[in-house]
């Protein structure tokens, strides 16, 4: 069984989707062993507690820079013997000391179709604001490995939704979460835990 450690910063609906999938027996070969939050008041921590999952808080605001913060996260991941790290609405970019130590072992969910509307500064509702501002007709979410560059690691899964006239960022966000994020994140986590993701020349392929 692989130890899955989930990193969160906010509401934790993606964490909830993972918990529900695990409960439904849909995560093969792994279990969520710890939730780590960068914010002490994240509702995701309640979700962990309500489901009997251990949690830790490593507040981003207690650290002056990304490197010292990342070192603290790295120490926690090592202590938790993480086999897979899932960034589920984790709003802090991790330094390369973490991404190198856990190469191809960190999965992120990004609420757009990478390489559009991604990179530094594109997170949460801002992503949807920018997509609507541009006038795209489809958007979606991307599940990808995390490397040294923001939102640039190998893509595992992507899914799309239509953008409708009159959508607000909140409406589009909800459509993408319900139809893509909450389905594809647990799926990618299970594929990883079943060793069904191949990496070839820096690209990820799902073994059928
Ligand atoms: C999700 O839409 C996730 O894709 C996004 O933040 C939301 C978190 O919601 N993540 C990013 O923008 C990371 N760049 P949640 O806390 O309810 O899972």
């Amino acid at each position: 069984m692989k130890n899955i450690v989930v990193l969160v910063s906010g509401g934790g609906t993606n964490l909830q989707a993972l918990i529900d999938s695990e409960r439904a027996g849909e995560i093969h070969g792994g279990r969520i062993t710890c939730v780590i939050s960068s914010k002490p008041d994240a509702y995701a921590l309640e979700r962990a507690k309500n489901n009997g999952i251990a949690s830790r808080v490593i507040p981003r605001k207690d650290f002056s820079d990304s490197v010292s913060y990342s070192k603290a996260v790295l120490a926690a991941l090592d202590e938790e013997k993480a086999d897979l790290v899932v960034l589920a609405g984790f709003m802090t970019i991790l330094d390369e000391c973490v991404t190198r130590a856990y190469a191809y072992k960190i999965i992120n969910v990004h609420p757009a179709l990478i390489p559009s509307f991604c990179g530094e500064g594109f997170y949460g509702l801002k992503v949807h604001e920018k997509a609507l501002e541009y006038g795209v007709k489809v958007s979606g979410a991307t599940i990808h490995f995390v490397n040294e560059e923001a939102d640039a690691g190998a893509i595992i899964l992507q899914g799309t939704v239509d953008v409708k006239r009159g959508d607000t960022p909140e409406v589009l966000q909800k459509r993408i979460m319900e139809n893509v994020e909450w389905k594809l994140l647990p799926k990618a986590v299970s594929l990883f835990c079943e060793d069904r993701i191949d990496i070839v020349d820096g690209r990820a392929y799902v073994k059928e």
Side-chain angles (χ1 to χ4, degrees):
M1 269 303 205
K2 289 189 168 62
N3 293 336
I4 305 168
V5 176
V6 185
L7 272 55
V8 297
S9 301
T13 62
N14 278 291
L15 168 65
Q16 190 66 55
L18 289 168
I19 293 170
D20 294 346
S21 284
E22 186 181 328
R23 284 265 161 92
E26 291 162 4
I27 307 239
H28 307 285
R31 61 193 176 104
I32 305 167
T33 49
C34 183
V35 169
I36 300 178
S37 176
S38 64
K39 290 199 181 142
D41 57 352
Y43 185 69
L45 289 166
E46 288 296 313
R47 297 181 191 271
K49 195 171 155 199
N50 293 341
N51 288 279
I53 301 168
S55 64
R56 294 179 178 226
V57 180
I58 309 178
R60 177 63 182 88
K61 61 173 169 48
D62 289 1
F63 296 81
S64 57
D65 57 85
S66 166
V67 176
S68 58
Y69 183 70
S70 299
K71 281 183 182 160
V73 171
L74 180 60
L77 294 176
D78 289 347
E79 278 172 27
E80 294 295 337
K81 299 186 173 21
D83 296 304
L84 170 65
V85 181
V86 181
L87 310 188
F90 187 65
M91 299 306 187
T92 297
I93 292 178
L94 290 168
D95 176 74
E96 63 180 34
C97 69
V98 179
T99 55
R100 286 195 200 284
Y102 284 84
Y104 292 108
K105 288 181 180 172
I106 309 176
I107 288 177
N108 180 45
V109 52
H110 182 74
L113 295 171
I114 290 173
S116 291
F117 310 112
C118 63
E120 260 186 272
F122 285 89
Y123 58 86
L125 272 179
K126 283 186 192 179
V127 176
H128 308 296
E129 279 166 25
K130 293 285 177 198
L132 291 174
E133 209 174 283
Y134 200 95
V136 293
K137 300 299 177 253
V138 289
S139 192
T142 303
I143 317 298
H144 65 94
F145 284 112
V146 174
N147 65 9
E148 285 66 64
E149 211 182 313
D151 296 329
I155 292 172
I156 305 167
L157 298 171
Q158 287 185 303
T160 63
V161 301
D162 286 341
V163 178
K164 297 181 185 165
R165 191 168 181 169
D167 273 352
T168 61
E170 289 80 4
V171 166
L172 182 57
Q173 178 184 54
K174 188 158 179 275
R175 190 179 305 128
I176 291 172
M177 282 177 150
E178 285 176 353
N179 292 287
V180 188
E181 296 186 41
W182 300 343
K183 291 178 181 167
L184 293 193
L185 183 61
K187 189 174 172 186
V189 165
S190 188
L191 287 169
F192 179 94
C193 292
E194 294 170 85
D195 294 317
R196 283 182 56 199
I197 306 176
D198 272 339
I199 305 295
V200 183
D201 295 335
R203 282 183 284 274
Y205 299 94
V206 173
K207 290 186 217 173
E208 293 309 326

